[in-house]
Amino acid sequence: MTTAVASSPLGLASPARGLECRGCGARFPLAAQHACFECFGPLEVWYDAEAFAKVTRAQIEAGPKSIWRYAGLLPAGQDPAQRVTLDPGFTPLIKADALAAEIGLRAPLWVKDDSANPTHSFKDRVVSVALTAAKALGFRRYACASTGNLANSVAAHAARAGVPSIVFIPYDLEQGKVITTAVYGGDLVAIEGSYDDVNRLCSELVETDDFEDTAFVNVNLRPFYAEGSKTLGYEVAEQLGWRIPAQVVIPMASGELLTKVDKAFEELVASGLAVAPEGGWRVFGAQSQGCNPIATALHGGATEIVPVKPTGIAKSLNIGDPAAGIYALESVRRTNGWMDYVNDEEIRDGIRLLARTTGVFAETAGGVTTAVTAKLVASGKLDPQLETVIYNTGEGLKTIDAVAGRVGPTYHVKASLKAAREVGLVS
Amino acid sequence: MTTAVASSPLGLASPARGLECRGCGARFPLAAQHACFECFGPLEVWYDAEAFAKVTRAQIEAGPKSIWRYAGLLPAGQDPAQRVTLDPGFTPLIKADALAAEIGLRAPLWVKDDSANPTHSFKDRVVSVALTAAKALGFRRYACASTGNLANSVAAHAARAGVPSIVFIPYDLEQGKVITTAVYGGDLVAIEGSYDDVNRLCSELVETDDFEDTAFVNVNLRPFYAEGSKTLGYEVAEQLGWRIPAQVVIPMASGELLTKVDKAFEELVASGLAVAPEGGWRVFGAQSQGCNPIATALHGGATEIVPVKPTGIAKSLNIGDPAAGIYALESVRRTNGWMDYVNDEEIRDGIRLLARTTGVFAETAGGVTTAVTAKLVASGKLDPQLETVIYNTGEGLKTIDAVAGRVGPTYHVKASLKAAREVGLVS
């Protein structure tokens, strides 16, 4: 595939110029390649700085209310007719005064609610960018290794585009995520193992002849895929009036979302599109106790990640061997942020706290972020006087079992005024 | 309450001038009143025609990407600071070429996907309008009788606004809808009975002193509530370039959504905002076989509705005694449309058909609409040469059991290339 791909550019309007190794800095042409031929390090898209400098606020603001308003800062999708997309993005940024009051934040607190995306998680952003690149590069089947949300998104994108899909998931996912993938009619492969096992198998499959025509969004298309997460940084800054918030709290699975939001802020400042807060921004990472390898490395002062075998209810974050973990550590250290983790009971409480105070029903990952935010305020790591944005990346309906035993009807009554009187609903 | 309410207008900018009986035409002041004092007929908001005539396309297009861009055509919400809202609306209108091909439509087919609303159903529209009116009228607790989606929306709106809520549901609702109400922390009352029983009880409760401060969005606030559905007509016309489509297919529970989309089209034409199709538009209604009182009346040439005891999986449509049924009949007859119904098996197939061809995962009501659309094409009632819009009003994740037994992984494999080879994934 490599040769064919190397001769298939992403279109003349793309600001992407190539791929660059995050380890040794070696550069490669734009292609479906994710590891450095020199040092096996992960690759990242590099861009034409002059093209970025030409992007203006006015151009962006005149664009669609989706991630594609930032097409000038993304590797693919400049031509609307060539996008493979459900048009995700420009999700609500919700002022959360009641939540701030409960956890002791005295500066403005905002929830970036990415459950509002078409398949109700932030994965629609990365999938739209990856599959648009995949189409340009000539792939004819769409695939991924997933903890659930990515599976939903790839299957739905493929159905909309009328392209076959094959999605790989651990066998023990939440039913909500299994059904919401299978219903779109593509192939769905349940693997007896953890997400890390699924990911390993996909890395092997992508090298076979049978999968030569297949774009695994988070394996061979990973450099493009990862860039989609930058839009979660761009949008928050634009929604705040082209200001970067002083503090952001971001859930971590591979760690990539955190690094890309940080990268987005850097790009906005470098290109003069947004203003950094006094003293710079601080990036905070949230994990669950059942899968906390990145936070553990930070707490231990390490620069390497020791993989763990994930447990616990925050399945969408259960990546025991996080691909971008060391880069997440770098972002957090460079910006004077911090990381922390919470247990399953705190996650359930976090879901309910967020719902009760904001009207946003988050999946377990959002419970992690909410609970970790409260913990970071309590421990003094998060400055209660600084404006803060927390990211809810998914939808409560997909992990309904997490709270099913904890919430329910407050009254059971027969259908009569007399019965309502007996339980005290009326006097 | 009536006296206090009569002296609490909806604000100077509201185009609403009063309430009017749909039966005898008697007029009343703007207040939390839903039945005519003269003939007990249902009341509807009446507007200042001159105010409507002043609304322009440019004004609307400059507004927010939500229902509030149409505030000039709604009874409440003209002042952004006084809204009680999750800012629903302006949901995607998706071109559905593959679906059209499968069911034999040769003109453009569109899916209006209202699962994209904040609590993932069209109910966010009606709740935002009703509660904004309720706030202006001085109510301090928010309530509803609900088949599920309305419960989700009222509870979430109340949580966001920081106002107490009390929501009444039949005891046998889908778990997805029960949890997604309870998680917001308001009161949730499970009633041993059908939706019609729940509704009857709420009509009694609203008359008690204990509920004097309580806005039941679909009981005492019903005239305002119903107006929110008009936005589903406005948006489709605007998204088509200010053109009204030749045919629309709309699911029916109370029948009100159908009548209000029809009313919206009439208003747009009357005010010169949109253009009607040649020969006028035709309105089609969709029900399930387990609850088909409106379609049965149409098929039998009746003008009255005979209530039924609902059964079947399309619970959000299970209103056996539909309040606006006779008005839905009038709309369909006036526009030369039709109604039909499908059984549970056809509903499940409809959900899968829509998902597979468009990437939209609908709840059972969307399965009803899709399957009825196919049936209307097959029976020749729907003209395959005319542009058609079908309405998906809710989210598949809320009624996941409807398809849970029918879809799932297509492969189960151990985490090795060898195992993948054994099941034929690679050669």
Side-chain angles (χ1 to χ4, degrees), chain A residues 110 233 236-237 240 243-248 265 275-277 280-282 386-389 391:
Chain A
W110 305 84
V236 161
L240 290 174
R243 281 190 306 107
I244 293 165
Q247 303 180 125
V248 290
F265 291 163
V275 180
W281 61 88
R282 303 170 69 197
L386 293 179
E387 182 172 46
T388 303
V389 173
Y391 285 82

Side-chain angles (χ1 to χ4, degrees), chain A residues 375-389:
Chain A
K375 194 169 178 179
L376 289 167
V377 175
S379 67
K381 295 290 185 183
L382 207 89
D383 187 334
Q385 309 287 0
L386 293 179
E387 182 172 46
T388 303
V389 173

Side-chain angles (χ1 to χ4, degrees), chain B residues 31-289:
Chain B
Q33 180 192 344
H34 65 294
C36 177
F37 293 153
E38 309 288 335
C39 75
F40 302 107
L43 302 182
E44 198 169 36
V45 176
W46 69 272
Y47 296 92
D48 180 348
E50 281 181 37
F52 268 30
K54 283 182 197 146
V55 176
T56 66
R57 290 183 189 176
Q59 271 172 7
I60 292 169
E61 288 165 357
K65 294 268 182 183
S66 73
I67 61 166
W68 299 117
R69 67 203 279 110
Y70 307 107
L73 304 169
L74 294 173
Q78 288 73 33
D79 177 358
Q82 296 304 314
R83 293 174 191 155
V84 177
T85 189
L86 306 174
D87 293 314
F90 225 76
T91 53
L93 184 70
I94 299 162
K95 191 85 180 301
D97 294 344
L99 177 59
E102 285 218 21
I103 66 176
L105 261 173
R106 289 184 292 278
L109 173 64
W110 305 84
V111 177
K112 177 64 173 172
D113 182 18
D114 241 28
S115 69
N117 279 313
T119 73
H120 310 314
S121 86
F122 87 101
K123 293 294 187 184
D124 288 331
R125 300 173 180 271
V126 290
V127 171
S128 277
V129 175
L131 292 182
T132 297
K135 181 183 177 185
L137 296 172
F139 289 98
R140 285 178 299 226
R141 183 166 63 158
Y142 302 152
C144 66
S146 174
T147 58
N149 282 320
L150 184 58
N152 299 168
S153 182
V154 167
H157 273 78
R160 178 78 56 90
V163 172
S165 65
I166 180 164
V167 160
F168 296 78
I169 55 171
Y171 70 108
D172 64 346
L173 274 194
E174 299 96 341
Q175 199 201 26
K177 288 177 180 166
V178 176
I179 303 299
T180 308
T181 304
V183 74
Y184 297 110
D187 270 327
L188 176 60
V189 186
I191 301 290
E192 292 174 30
S194 67
Y195 170 77
D196 299 289
D197 296 325
V198 175
N199 196 37
R200 207 171 304 120
L201 177 63
C202 289
S203 299
E204 292 175 2
L205 288 171
V206 77
E207 302 295 337
T208 66
D209 288 350
D210 292 296
F211 283 82
E212 198 186 42
D213 65 346
T214 304
F216 280 83
V217 295
N218 56 340
V219 184
N220 52 340
L221 272 292
R222 189 167 186 92
F224 307 105
Y225 164 90
E227 292 298 287
S229 289
K230 293 193 306 181
T231 58
L232 265 171
Y234 300 149
E235 284 180 21
V236 161
E238 182 180 351
Q239 289 171 316
L240 290 174
W242 296 108
R243 280 189 308 107
I244 293 165
Q247 302 179 124
V248 290
V249 187
I250 301 172
M252 298 187 297
S254 73
E256 195 71 277
L257 174 59
L258 184 148
T259 72
K260 293 304 182 186
V261 169
D262 184 34
K263 183 182 179 187
F265 291 163
E266 289 191 321
E267 289 176 352
L268 291 178
V269 171
S271 59
L273 288 167
V275 180
E278 210 181 319
W281 62 87
R282 302 170 69 198
V283 178
F284 295 82
Q287 291 200 297
S288 75
Q289 188 168 304

Side-chain angles (χ1 to χ4, degrees), chain A residues 75 122-123 125-127 129-130 133 145 150 195 216-219 221-229 254 256:
Chain A
F122 87 101
K123 293 294 186 183
R125 300 172 181 272
V126 289
V127 171
V129 175
L150 185 58
Y195 169 77
F216 281 83
V217 295
N218 56 340
V219 183
L221 274 290
R222 190 169 185 92
F224 308 105
Y225 164 90
E227 292 299 285
S229 289
S254 73
E256 194 71 278

